[in-house]
Amino acid sequence: MVGTETYTVTGPEGDSDEVDLPEGLVDMLAEQGESPSQVISDVVLQAFAQQAHAIAHHSQGETPQDVLDINEKAEELFEERFGQSLSDAMGHSH
C-alpha cells in the first residue's frame, strides 16, 4: 500500500493549507535534480495557467478585461518558467 506525503502551500498573506499526495508521485514527475518543491510549483503554475485560459477563452459571454489581463499574465509566467508558450504546450491557441 502506498502512503502519502504532505506538502504545505503558504500564501502571500501568511495563510496556509496542506495537500496530501501519494508517496512517489512527485518523484515520478520530477526531472533529474529537481526538488520536490520545484515539482509542486511547476504543477501549480501549469494548473492555474490552464484554468485561467479556460475561463478567459472557453466561458460563455463576453470576457471581462480583468480576466483577460490575468490570463495574459499567467501565460507570460508560464512561458518564463517553461520556455514555451502555453498555447504550444496545450496544442492550440486563440
Side-chain angles (χ1 to χ4, degrees):
M1 174 151 256
V2 175
T4 60
E5 300 174 322
T6 303
Y7 291 87
T8 303
V9 178
T10 303
E13 302 295 325
D15 59 312
S16 65
D17 193 24
E18 294 183 341
V19 60
D20 292 325
L21 298 172
E23 285 180 349
L25 178 57
V26 173
D27 291 336
M28 281 180 12
L29 300 175
E31 295 181 12
Q32 187 172 8
E34 196 173 29
S35 72
S37 295
Q38 288 173 304
V39 175
I40 298 292
S41 296
D42 284 351
V43 172
V44 167
L45 181 54
Q46 289 172 10
F48 272 91
Q50 289 173 339
Q51 290 298 314
H53 172 87
I55 293 167
H57 297 291
H58 299 283
S59 296
Q60 292 184 9
E62 189 170 332
T63 305
Q65 187 60 49
D66 63 330
V67 171
L68 294 172
D69 293 343
I70 290 168
N71 176 65
E72 183 178 337
K73 187 62 171 184
E75 290 185 10
E76 288 173 13
L77 294 170
F78 183 94
E79 188 164 352
E80 286 174 18
R81 187 166 188 120
F82 299 108
Q84 67 175 332
S85 69
L86 180 64
S87 60
D88 285 348
M90 292 185 355
H92 84 271
S93 63
H94 297 270

